[in-house]
Amino acid sequence: MKGLRLTIARQTVSSILDTLGDDDFFNIIAYNQEIHYVEPCLNGTLVRADRTNKDHFREHLDKLFAKGIGLLGEALTEAFSILNDFNQTGRGSVCSQAIMLVTDGATEMYDDVFEKYNWPERKVRIFPYLIGRESAFADNLKWMACANKGYFSQISTLADVQENVMRYLHVMSRPKVIDHEHDTVWTEAYVDRSFLFLLQLNDKSGPSLTTTVAMPVFSTKNETNQGILLGVVGTDIPLQELMKLIPKHMLGIHGYVFAITNNGYILTHPDLRPLYQEGQKRRKPNYSSVDLSEVEWEDKDYILRNAMVNRRTGTFSMEVKRTVDRGVRLQISMLSGCILDGCFLI
């Protein structure tokens, strides 16, 4: 796994990361005679696939180098253990699980590992990616994929990476197609470049943010029971249009409204400042993934945040500190409001 093969392997892992979203959790393990976590500080667990974490792992990918031989059996055992522990504790999405194996070959089938950790339920899918033109070990990797409800791909050049990586999505989507599950997804708030001219550069309204709502499109033909994902349909919605649905008569004179995504990221909030300075178009790098706890920092026990993420409804109160007179004075008051399925009225 040296030279061009290592370059292709890095690009393959990076392309897999591109397919993950904020609802997914992941980790990356490198192996030779020993197991090495790409990020040593995050060993034995999974992390959310947000933009910050994915960029952080990409930086560590460049530090990988080939050395010795790969003991795949120990790496598979470690991967199955992490997924099993993460699933049993109820963390993460508790949904589909998969192991993406990027390698230049496997001398064994490792059926003893699969029999111990994955059979007969086969809850974890295996997706082997064979790097290079040689096919001496292709049969072993194909068997791993078929025996664990996965898909085998061989990547010979950098030009083949994107096409082969995307194939696993069709396999993962088949259960949803068969069960007719049409999940609706709302993205985080962002400033669309095509709508930069809509920026309201004054202190009250700030930049005009947009969210996207999307859902998958499946084939409804009856000649196949495998399920086919045709694509995704979606539309952009300015947050200003969503704000028009807020019952303003329920707000007091100092009241305000904020909304978050299912991951706790802010969709709209008076203290959300996506630009470095008012009157400029330069955006902060992670403005679209600001957690509610970073703004409503008085919610130290995440009571309000967890209630909104879990879509609970009702009333809530806590003590907050606010600045008045343009930050000259500090005011301590009681925050009281009503939770309306992901939106909070104060």
Side-chain angles (χ1 to χ4, degrees):
M1 187 72 80
K2 294 183 178 180
L4 180 59
R5 288 186 179 183
L6 183 58
T7 302
I8 295 175
R10 288 171 176 164
Q11 185 61 40
T12 301
V13 176
S14 180
S15 298
I16 294 174
L17 291 178
D18 287 335
T19 65
L20 304 180
D22 291 337
D23 294 332
D24 303 314
F25 294 79
F26 77 100
N27 205 334
I28 304 176
I29 299 176
Y31 65 93
N32 41 37
Q33 290 93 337
E34 298 178 352
I35 295 174
H36 306 276
Y37 283 86
V38 172
E39 173 49 83
C41 296
L42 298 173
N43 59 342
T45 186
L46 301 180
V47 297
R48 186 183 297 278
D50 56 27
R51 183 177 303 176
T52 302
N53 287 334
K54 290 191 291 186
D55 291 342
H56 181 73
F57 272 81
R58 284 194 179 95
E59 294 176 359
H60 285 272
L61 285 177
D62 296 333
K63 303 176 184 178
L64 294 179
F65 59 93
K67 178 181 178 181
I69 60 175
L71 300 181
L72 179 55
E74 296 183 7
L76 287 174
T77 300
E78 181 72 8
F80 277 116
S81 299
I82 294 175
L83 292 174
N84 183 59
D85 295 342
F86 208 73
N87 195 31
Q88 286 185 350
T89 55
R91 295 176 293 171
S93 56
V94 196
C95 190
S96 302
Q97 294 184 327
I99 295 176
M100 326 297 284
L101 176 59
V102 182
T103 180
D104 60 349
T107 58
E108 302 178 28
M109 295 182 179
Y110 300 98
D111 52 337
D112 56 333
V113 178
F114 299 130
E115 184 176 2
K116 180 178 179 180
Y117 292 99
N118 204 34
W119 294 348
E121 293 85 0
R122 292 175 170 81
K123 294 182 179 180
V124 181
R125 297 177 184 266
I126 306 295
F127 294 92
Y129 292 92
L130 179 60
I131 306 300
R133 298 182 182 277
E134 298 181 6
S135 57
F137 304 106
D139 291 339
N140 290 342
L141 295 175
K142 289 179 181 179
W143 180 89
M144 291 183 191
C146 294
N148 296 277
K149 299 194 296 185
Y151 192 89
F152 168 81
S153 298
Q154 184 169 3
I155 303 177
S156 303
T157 64
L158 286 171
D160 299 333
V161 172
Q162 188 68 23
E163 179 183 357
N164 284 279
V165 166
M166 296 299 292
R167 290 176 178 174
Y168 92 90
L169 294 176
H170 295 278
V171 179
M172 299 288 282
S173 66
R174 285 173 185 170
K176 290 184 174 292
V177 179
I178 296 173
D179 296 337
H180 300 284
E181 295 183 11
H182 292 69
D183 298 331
T184 302
V185 177
W186 292 78
T187 69
E188 69 278 0
Y190 61 93
V191 178
D192 194 339
R193 292 182 180 179
S194 60
F195 294 101
L196 283 178
F197 64 90
L198 293 177
L199 290 176
Q200 301 293 328
L201 301 177
N202 56 68
D203 294 338
K204 293 184 179 180
S205 58
S208 178
L209 299 177
T210 304
T211 183
T212 299
V213 56
M215 64 185 303
V217 179
F218 301 130
S219 173
T220 58
K221 296 182 179 180
N222 296 325
E223 62 264 19
T224 175
N225 59 355
Q226 295 181 345
I228 300 176
L229 174 65
L230 299 179
V232 178
V233 61
T235 184
D236 298 336
I237 302 177
L239 290 183
Q240 294 178 350
E241 296 299 319
L242 293 179
M243 296 299 292
K244 294 179 182 179
L245 304 177
I246 300 299
K248 296 182 178 180
H249 65 278
M250 298 179 63
L251 299 176
I253 187 173
H254 296 296
Y256 62 91
V257 179
F258 61 87
I260 64 174
T261 67
N262 63 308
N263 292 307
Y265 296 149
I266 293 177
L267 272 176
T268 177
H269 193 286
D271 292 335
L272 178 62
R273 300 179 178 90
L275 305 182
Y276 277 107
Q277 293 182 5
E278 296 294 340
Q280 295 186 359
K281 296 182 179 181
R282 196 160 66 97
R283 292 162 288 176
K284 297 178 181 178
N286 298 316
Y287 73 94
S288 60
S289 58
V290 178
D291 195 270
L292 179 64
S293 59
E294 300 178 40
V295 178
E296 297 290 340
W297 55 270
E298 293 91 349
D299 186 27
K300 297 180 180 179
D301 296 327
Y302 304 110
I303 298 176
L304 174 61
R305 181 188 182 280
N306 291 339
M308 296 181 66
V309 168
N310 295 326
R311 298 184 177 182
R312 299 173 186 167
T313 58
T315 58
F316 177 80
S317 299
M318 69 178 181
E319 188 178 273
V320 297
K321 298 178 182 179
R322 294 291 176 187
T323 57
V324 295
D325 294 340
R326 296 184 178 181
V328 176
R329 293 189 300 162
L330 180 66
Q331 179 184 17
I332 301 178
S333 59
M334 182 64 69
L335 178 148
S336 179
C338 177
I339 303 176
L340 300 175
D341 196 5
C343 184
F344 193 73
L345 309 179
I346 297 180

